[in-house]
Amino acid sequence: NRTIYTLIVRGDINKDGNVSLTDISKLILHYNEVRGFELSGNELKGADMNIDGKVNLVDVSQMIVLYNSI
């Protein structure tokens, strides 16, 4: 049997290998409940920076800190 794993990189919402302003924008749009920008699945998991099962301002703050440290 083969086991397939999916790697989820915290903060890399658009799955391009980088944490960028695009990822931060997607997170903020999701947080503000903008129609058409709802995250789901692995994108939502990637947005949950502190892995607490919720996407909130703590995650936005942590993503900004991560982006600024790169």
Side-chain angles (χ1 to χ4, degrees):
N1 287 329
R2 285 183 59 184
T3 302
I4 298 174
Y5 296 93
T6 300
L7 178 65
I8 298 172
V9 178
R10 289 185 305 159
D12 185 18
I13 295 171
N14 67 354
K15 299 176 259 177
D16 68 352
N18 300 300
V19 176
S20 65
L21 290 176
T22 301
D23 298 304
I24 294 169
S25 296
K26 286 179 171 254
L27 176 56
I28 291 170
L29 289 166
H30 172 81
Y31 174 75
N32 286 323
E33 300 178 350
V34 176
R35 181 174 286 178
F37 291 96
E38 301 89 355
L39 300 176
S40 62
N42 291 338
E43 289 180 340
L44 186 61
K45 289 177 183 176
D48 184 9
M49 297 294 291
N50 61 350
I51 314 171
D52 67 352
K54 301 175 278 192
V55 174
N56 54 32
L57 283 178
V58 172
D59 301 298
V60 173
S61 174
Q62 288 185 354
M63 188 180 290
I64 291 169
V65 168
L66 176 61
Y67 175 77
N68 285 327
S69 70
I70 297 174

